[in-house]
PDB file of all heavy atoms in Angstrom:
ATOM      1  N   GLY A 215      -9.756   0.596  -4.958  1.00  0.00           N
ATOM      2  CA  GLY A 215     -10.344   0.956  -3.817  1.00  0.00           C
ATOM      3  C   GLY A 215      -9.536   1.642  -2.831  1.00  0.00           C
ATOM      4  O   GLY A 215      -9.896   1.943  -1.625  1.00  0.00           O
ATOM      5  N   GLY A 216      -8.324   1.902  -3.232  1.00  0.00           N
ATOM      6  CA  GLY A 216      -7.382   2.714  -2.371  1.00  0.00           C
ATOM      7  C   GLY A 216      -6.760   1.702  -1.175  1.00  0.00           C
ATOM      8  O   GLY A 216      -6.266   2.137  -0.308  1.00  0.00           O
ATOM      9  N   ARG A 217      -6.921   0.356  -1.423  1.00  0.00           N
ATOM     10  CA  ARG A 217      -6.480  -0.487  -0.503  1.00  0.00           C
ATOM     11  C   ARG A 217      -4.971  -0.921  -0.822  1.00  0.00           C
ATOM     12  O   ARG A 217      -4.521  -1.098  -2.023  1.00  0.00           O
ATOM     13  CB  ARG A 217      -7.228  -1.815  -0.487  1.00  0.00           C
ATOM     14  CG  ARG A 217      -6.970  -2.946   0.498  1.00  0.00           C
ATOM     15  CD  ARG A 217      -7.984  -4.068   0.449  1.00  0.00           C
ATOM     16  NE  ARG A 217      -8.102  -4.536  -0.790  1.00  0.00           N
ATOM     17  CZ  ARG A 217      -7.256  -5.584  -1.280  1.00  0.00           C
ATOM     18  NH1 ARG A 217      -6.352  -6.067  -0.548  1.00  0.00           N
ATOM     19  NH2 ARG A 217      -7.478  -6.123  -2.490  1.00  0.00           N
ATOM     20  N   VAL A 218      -4.142  -1.089   0.265  1.00  0.00           N
ATOM     21  CA  VAL A 218      -2.751  -1.314   0.119  1.00  0.00           C
ATOM     22  C   VAL A 218      -2.491  -2.775   0.592  1.00  0.00           C
ATOM     23  O   VAL A 218      -2.911  -3.056   1.753  1.00  0.00           O
ATOM     24  CB  VAL A 218      -1.865  -0.379   0.947  1.00  0.00           C
ATOM     25  CG1 VAL A 218      -0.362  -0.861   0.847  1.00  0.00           C
ATOM     26  CG2 VAL A 218      -2.006   1.043   0.319  1.00  0.00           C
ATOM     27  N   SER A 219      -1.746  -3.598  -0.302  1.00  0.00           N
ATOM     28  CA  SER A 219      -1.568  -4.872   0.222  1.00  0.00           C
ATOM     29  C   SER A 219      -0.019  -5.082   0.180  1.00  0.00           C
ATOM     30  O   SER A 219       0.705  -4.709  -0.757  1.00  0.00           O
ATOM     31  CB  SER A 219      -2.187  -5.958  -0.853  1.00  0.00           C
ATOM     32  OG  SER A 219      -1.670  -7.334  -0.618  1.00  0.00           O
ATOM     33  N   CYS A 220       0.494  -5.626   1.331  1.00  0.00           N
ATOM     34  CA  CYS A 220       1.949  -5.847   1.447  1.00  0.00           C
ATOM     35  C   CYS A 220       2.419  -7.274   1.665  1.00  0.00           C
ATOM     36  O   CYS A 220       1.570  -7.960   2.341  1.00  0.00           O
ATOM     37  CB  CYS A 220       2.426  -4.879   2.616  1.00  0.00           C
ATOM     38  SG  CYS A 220       2.167  -3.069   2.545  1.00  0.00           S
ATOM     39  N   SER A 221       3.438  -7.649   1.093  1.00  0.00           N
ATOM     40  CA  SER A 221       4.046  -8.998   1.466  1.00  0.00           C
ATOM     41  C   SER A 221       4.412  -9.075   2.851  1.00  0.00           C
ATOM     42  O   SER A 221       4.581  -8.032   3.598  1.00  0.00           O
ATOM     43  CB  SER A 221       5.254  -9.242   0.527  1.00  0.00           C
ATOM     44  OG  SER A 221       6.340  -8.288   0.706  1.00  0.00           O
ATOM     45  N   LYS A 222       4.530 -10.321   3.417  1.00  0.00           N
ATOM     46  CA  LYS A 222       4.735 -10.493   4.857  1.00  0.00           C
ATOM     47  C   LYS A 222       6.000 -11.439   4.942  1.00  0.00           C
ATOM     48  O   LYS A 222       5.933 -12.464   5.686  1.00  0.00           O
ATOM     49  CB  LYS A 222       3.569 -10.999   5.455  1.00  0.00           C
ATOM     50  CG  LYS A 222       2.396 -10.027   5.529  1.00  0.00           C
ATOM     51  CD  LYS A 222       1.145 -10.567   6.179  1.00  0.00           C
ATOM     52  CE  LYS A 222       0.049  -9.636   6.158  1.00  0.00           C
ATOM     53  NZ  LYS A 222      -1.196 -10.047   6.768  1.00  0.00           N
ATOM     54  N   LYS A 223       7.072 -11.119   4.252  1.00  0.00           N
ATOM     55  CA  LYS A 223       8.259 -12.023   4.435  1.00  0.00           C
ATOM     56  C   LYS A 223       9.004 -11.609   5.773  1.00  0.00           C
ATOM     57  O   LYS A 223       8.901 -10.705   6.224  1.00  0.00           O
ATOM     58  CB  LYS A 223       9.249 -11.715   3.204  1.00  0.00           C
ATOM     59  CG  LYS A 223       8.725 -12.143   1.838  1.00  0.00           C
ATOM     60  CD  LYS A 223       9.804 -11.937   0.840  1.00  0.00           C
ATOM     61  CE  LYS A 223      10.174 -10.463   0.631  1.00  0.00           C
ATOM     62  NZ  LYS A 223      11.283 -10.356  -0.363  1.00  0.00           N
ATOM     63  N   THR A 224       9.581 -12.846   6.197  1.00  0.00           N
ATOM     64  CA  THR A 224      10.468 -12.625   7.434  1.00  0.00           C
ATOM     65  C   THR A 224      11.840 -12.174   6.924  1.00  0.00           C
ATOM     66  O   THR A 224      12.458 -12.749   6.008  1.00  0.00           O
ATOM     67  CB  THR A 224      10.718 -13.974   8.141  1.00  0.00           C
ATOM     68  OG1 THR A 224       9.496 -14.433   8.588  1.00  0.00           O
ATOM     69  CG2 THR A 224      11.630 -13.810   9.301  1.00  0.00           C
ATOM     70  N   CYS A 225      12.249 -10.918   7.368  1.00  0.00           N
ATOM     71  CA  CYS A 225      13.362 -10.217   6.742  1.00  0.00           C
ATOM     72  C   CYS A 225      14.669 -10.235   7.545  1.00  0.00           C
ATOM     73  O   CYS A 225      15.715  -9.937   7.212  1.00  0.00           O
ATOM     74  CB  CYS A 225      13.038  -8.914   6.313  1.00  0.00           C
ATOM     75  SG  CYS A 225      11.426  -8.632   5.378  1.00  0.00           S
ATOM     76  N   PHE A 226      14.469 -10.268   8.961  1.00  0.00           N
ATOM     77  CA  PHE A 226      15.478 -10.102   9.845  1.00  0.00           C
ATOM     78  C   PHE A 226      15.645 -11.144  10.958  1.00  0.00           C
ATOM     79  O   PHE A 226      14.546 -11.854  11.232  1.00  0.00           O
ATOM     80  CB  PHE A 226      15.356  -8.733  10.564  1.00  0.00           C
ATOM     81  CG  PHE A 226      15.343  -7.577   9.541  1.00  0.00           C
ATOM     82  CD1 PHE A 226      14.159  -6.913   9.140  1.00  0.00           C
ATOM     83  CD2 PHE A 226      16.609  -7.146   8.995  1.00  0.00           C
ATOM     84  CE1 PHE A 226      14.146  -5.971   8.234  1.00  0.00           C
ATOM     85  CE2 PHE A 226      16.553  -6.000   8.131  1.00  0.00           C
ATOM     86  CZ  PHE A 226      15.419  -5.447   7.724  1.00  0.00           C
ATOM     87  N   CYS A 227      16.696 -11.268  11.589  1.00  0.00           N
ATOM     88  CA  CYS A 227      17.026 -12.037  12.814  1.00  0.00           C
ATOM     89  C   CYS A 227      17.450 -11.177  13.838  1.00  0.00           C
ATOM     90  O   CYS A 227      18.207 -10.199  13.590  1.00  0.00           O
ATOM     91  CB  CYS A 227      18.102 -13.166  12.443  1.00  0.00           C
ATOM     92  SG  CYS A 227      17.471 -14.238  11.129  1.00  0.00           S
ATOM     93  N   ASP A 228      17.149 -11.370  15.171  1.00  0.00           N
ATOM     94  CA  ASP A 228      17.679 -10.664  16.275  1.00  0.00           C
ATOM     95  C   ASP A 228      18.772 -11.599  16.993  1.00  0.00           C
ATOM     96  O   ASP A 228      18.380 -12.757  17.367  1.00  0.00           O
ATOM     97  CB  ASP A 228      16.650 -10.335  17.264  1.00  0.00           C
ATOM     98  CG  ASP A 228      17.002  -9.331  18.319  1.00  0.00           C
ATOM     99  OD1 ASP A 228      17.100  -8.210  18.114  1.00  0.00           O
ATOM    100  OD2 ASP A 228      17.445  -9.927  19.369  1.00  0.00           O
ATOM    101  N   TYR A 229      19.795 -11.029  17.172  1.00  0.00           N
ATOM    102  CA  TYR A 229      20.906 -11.797  17.852  1.00  0.00           C
ATOM    103  C   TYR A 229      21.634 -10.825  18.899  1.00  0.00           C
ATOM    104  O   TYR A 229      22.224  -9.982  18.398  1.00  0.00           O
ATOM    105  CB  TYR A 229      21.893 -12.410  16.953  1.00  0.00           C
ATOM    106  CG  TYR A 229      23.017 -13.414  17.443  1.00  0.00           C
ATOM    107  CD1 TYR A 229      22.703 -14.595  17.918  1.00  0.00           C
ATOM    108  CD2 TYR A 229      24.329 -12.720  17.603  1.00  0.00           C
ATOM    109  CE1 TYR A 229      23.909 -15.394  18.435  1.00  0.00           C
ATOM    110  CE2 TYR A 229      25.365 -13.562  18.202  1.00  0.00           C
ATOM    111  CZ  TYR A 229      25.014 -14.867  18.629  1.00  0.00           C
ATOM    112  OH  TYR A 229      25.987 -15.668  19.155  1.00  0.00           O
ATOM    113  N   ASN A 230      21.443 -11.111  20.159  1.00  0.00           N
ATOM    114  CA  ASN A 230      22.123 -10.333  21.233  1.00  0.00           C
ATOM    115  C   ASN A 230      21.777  -8.760  20.967  1.00  0.00           C
ATOM    116  O   ASN A 230      22.586  -7.951  21.079  1.00  0.00           O
ATOM    117  CB  ASN A 230      23.613 -10.581  21.269  1.00  0.00           C
ATOM    118  CG  ASN A 230      24.057 -11.908  21.827  1.00  0.00           C
ATOM    119  OD1 ASN A 230      23.192 -12.544  22.447  1.00  0.00           O
ATOM    120  ND2 ASN A 230      25.249 -12.227  21.515  1.00  0.00           N
ATOM    121  N   GLY A 231      20.460  -8.586  20.606  1.00  0.00           N
ATOM    122  CA  GLY A 231      20.021  -7.196  20.658  1.00  0.00           C
ATOM    123  C   GLY A 231      20.361  -6.488  19.266  1.00  0.00           C
ATOM    124  O   GLY A 231      20.138  -5.413  19.029  1.00  0.00           O
ATOM    125  N   GLN A 232      20.999  -7.282  18.380  1.00  0.00           N
ATOM    126  CA  GLN A 232      21.484  -6.701  17.062  1.00  0.00           C
ATOM    127  C   GLN A 232      20.688  -7.363  15.908  1.00  0.00           C
ATOM    128  O   GLN A 232      20.306  -8.530  16.073  1.00  0.00           O
ATOM    129  CB  GLN A 232      22.906  -7.087  16.835  1.00  0.00           C
ATOM    130  CG  GLN A 232      23.708  -6.428  15.530  1.00  0.00           C
ATOM    131  CD  GLN A 232      23.977  -5.068  15.823  1.00  0.00           C
ATOM    132  OE1 GLN A 232      24.073  -4.552  16.978  1.00  0.00           O
ATOM    133  NE2 GLN A 232      24.002  -4.317  14.730  1.00  0.00           N
ATOM    134  N   LYS A 233      20.257  -6.517  15.018  1.00  0.00           N
ATOM    135  CA  LYS A 233      19.444  -6.971  13.866  1.00  0.00           C
ATOM    136  C   LYS A 233      20.243  -7.327  12.626  1.00  0.00           C
ATOM    137  O   LYS A 233      21.050  -6.573  12.282  1.00  0.00           O
ATOM    138  CB  LYS A 233      18.374  -5.918  13.583  1.00  0.00           C
ATOM    139  CG  LYS A 233      17.241  -6.415  12.654  1.00  0.00           C
ATOM    140  CD  LYS A 233      16.286  -5.428  12.133  1.00  0.00           C
ATOM    141  CE  LYS A 233      15.807  -4.387  12.967  1.00  0.00           C
ATOM    142  NZ  LYS A 233      14.785  -3.491  12.249  1.00  0.00           N
ATOM    143  N   TYR A 234      19.999  -8.468  12.145  1.00  0.00           N
ATOM    144  CA  TYR A 234      20.726  -8.974  10.846  1.00  0.00           C
ATOM    145  C   TYR A 234      19.662  -9.340   9.787  1.00  0.00           C
ATOM    146  O   TYR A 234      18.562  -9.878  10.048  1.00  0.00           O
ATOM    147  CB  TYR A 234      21.677 -10.103  11.215  1.00  0.00           C
ATOM    148  CG  TYR A 234      22.608  -9.841  12.248  1.00  0.00           C
ATOM    149  CD1 TYR A 234      22.459 -10.120  13.490  1.00  0.00           C
ATOM    150  CD2 TYR A 234      23.900  -9.276  11.884  1.00  0.00           C
ATOM    151  CE1 TYR A 234      23.530  -9.782  14.500  1.00  0.00           C
ATOM    152  CE2 TYR A 234      24.879  -9.012  12.813  1.00  0.00           C
ATOM    153  CZ  TYR A 234      24.587  -9.257  14.055  1.00  0.00           C
ATOM    154  OH  TYR A 234      25.682  -8.982  15.035  1.00  0.00           O
ATOM    155  N   LYS A 235      20.031  -8.993   8.549  1.00  0.00           N
ATOM    156  CA  LYS A 235      19.207  -9.399   7.316  1.00  0.00           C
ATOM    157  C   LYS A 235      19.295 -10.868   7.074  1.00  0.00           C
ATOM    158  O   LYS A 235      20.217 -11.565   7.393  1.00  0.00           O
ATOM    159  CB  LYS A 235      19.546  -8.551   6.116  1.00  0.00           C
ATOM    160  CG  LYS A 235      19.360  -7.057   6.149  1.00  0.00           C
ATOM    161  CD  LYS A 235      19.567  -6.562   4.788  1.00  0.00           C
ATOM    162  CE  LYS A 235      19.312  -4.975   4.843  1.00  0.00           C
ATOM    163  NZ  LYS A 235      19.573  -4.337   3.458  1.00  0.00           N
ATOM    164  N   VAL A 236      18.088 -11.434   6.472  1.00  0.00           N
ATOM    165  CA  VAL A 236      18.083 -12.846   6.157  1.00  0.00           C
ATOM    166  C   VAL A 236      19.283 -13.147   5.155  1.00  0.00           C
ATOM    167  O   VAL A 236      19.361 -12.336   4.205  1.00  0.00           O
ATOM    168  CB  VAL A 236      16.816 -13.160   5.524  1.00  0.00           C
ATOM    169  CG1 VAL A 236      16.809 -14.509   4.817  1.00  0.00           C
ATOM    170  CG2 VAL A 236      15.747 -13.183   6.529  1.00  0.00           C
ATOM    171  N   GLY A 237      20.007 -14.045   5.438  1.00  0.00           N
ATOM    172  CA  GLY A 237      21.089 -14.418   4.701  1.00  0.00           C
ATOM    173  C   GLY A 237      22.524 -13.808   5.156  1.00  0.00           C
ATOM    174  O   GLY A 237      23.529 -14.332   4.652  1.00  0.00           O
TER     175      GLY A 237
END
Side-chain angles (χ1 to χ4, degrees):
R217 184 173 56 89
V218 173
S219 174
C220 299
S221 59
K222 296 180 180 179
K223 294 186 295 183
T224 299
C225 307
F226 300 98
C227 301
D228 185 86
Y229 182 76
N230 287 343
Q232 186 76 23
K233 194 187 321 187
Y234 298 92
K235 288 185 178 180
V236 167

